[in-house]
Amino acid sequence: MFHDISPQMQQVMRALEEQLERDQRSLRTVDSDVARILTLLALSAPTGAFLELGSSGGYSSLWLSLAARTKGVTLTTVDLDEKKVARLVGKLGRADA
């Protein structure tokens, strides 16, 4: 599965990783190793949709979307910050997630 990540999604992930390196305080996000483990845990979860509370920069959302797509379920991400939601929607669109 990790070898099948689209070039679009890889590009968005790299941009988020670079942003995290520049300004770690602006994003509360996991690193790529933790993201991969999160994806594997999501794949092993019981049947049903995924719910993510808080999107921060959207990095975890991208990884969870891979698991959701593989399992054929939906991912719902909830965030109280409308600006974060708008940025996440844009990132998911660019990543074709």
Side-chain angles (χ1 to χ4, degrees):
M1 175 184 61
F2 296 134
H3 300 290
D4 297 333
I5 299 173
S6 72
Q8 299 92 332
M9 184 172 289
Q10 289 179 25
Q11 182 179 12
V12 174
M13 286 176 169
R14 271 194 300 277
L16 281 166
E17 290 164 358
E18 290 169 3
Q19 182 182 359
L20 179 62
E21 287 179 21
R22 286 190 311 273
D23 186 12
Q24 198 159 13
R25 290 184 183 180
S26 70
L27 290 176
R28 293 186 178 128
T29 192
V30 298
D31 66 29
S32 60
D33 291 333
V34 173
R36 288 174 190 265
I37 291 170
L38 177 64
T39 304
L40 292 172
L41 288 171
L43 285 169
S44 67
T47 303
F50 298 152
L51 174 63
E52 178 185 36
L53 301 176
S55 64
S56 190
Y59 192 67
S60 297
S61 305
L62 292 171
W63 285 95
L64 286 171
S65 74
L66 293 173
R69 182 178 288 174
T70 300
K71 288 186 80 162
V73 301
T74 59
L75 166 64
T76 301
T77 300
V78 178
D79 202 305
L80 298 176
D81 186 330
E82 292 180 18
K83 291 178 185 176
K84 287 182 179 180
V85 171
R87 285 192 299 258
L88 175 61
V89 168
K91 288 173 188 165
L92 291 174
R94 286 192 308 277
D96 193 28

